[in-house]
Amino acid sequence: MANSAQARKRARQAAKANSHNSALRSKLRTAIKAVRKAIAAGDASKANEVFKQSSKTLDIIADKKLVHKNKAARHKSRLAAAVKSLSVPAAVAAE
C-alpha cells in the first residue's frame, strides 16, 4: 500500500486512468467486431456505413495514444479492403 499522500493520489489516478483506458480498448474491439460482423452478413452498404463509424473510433483512440497510430491504420486498411471486396464482385457482375 502507498505510504505517502503523493503515492496514494498516484494510485487513485492510475486506477481511474486504467478504468478509462479499459473502456476505450473495449470500444475499439467492439468497433472492429461490428465491421467484421457486417462483412460476414454480406451487406455492402451496411458494412460501409459501419466501417465509417468504426474508422472514426479507431482514429480517436489512436489520437489518445491508447494504441499506436500504425496499428489503427493497419486495422482500418484491412477492414477497408474487406469492405471493398464486398462491393467489387457486385460491380463486376453488373457489367
Side-chain angles (χ1 to χ4, degrees):
M1 183 64 196
N3 289 324
S4 65
Q6 176 184 1
R8 284 192 294 274
K9 181 177 179 181
R10 289 301 297 159
R12 284 194 310 270
Q13 289 175 328
K16 185 176 178 181
N18 185 21
S19 173
H20 183 254
N21 290 339
S22 295
L24 287 177
R25 267 192 302 274
S26 176
K27 190 174 184 179
L28 171 84
R29 292 185 196 114
T30 303
I32 292 169
K33 287 177 190 175
V35 177
R36 288 189 180 142
K37 185 176 179 183
I39 291 167
D43 186 5
S45 61
K46 182 171 177 11
N48 197 22
E49 184 63 34
V50 173
F51 171 70
K52 286 180 183 178
Q53 294 169 352
S54 296
S55 67
K56 184 176 180 179
T57 302
L58 280 161
D59 286 336
I60 289 169
I61 291 173
D63 286 342
K64 294 177 189 282
K65 297 188 168 109
L66 193 61
V67 296
H68 196 276
K69 61 180 179 154
N70 291 356
K71 180 175 180 174
R74 182 174 65 242
H75 280 295
K76 282 174 49 178
S77 175
R78 289 178 182 171
L79 290 173
V83 169
K84 186 177 180 184
S85 70
L86 279 179
S87 58
V88 169
V92 172
E95 291 179 357

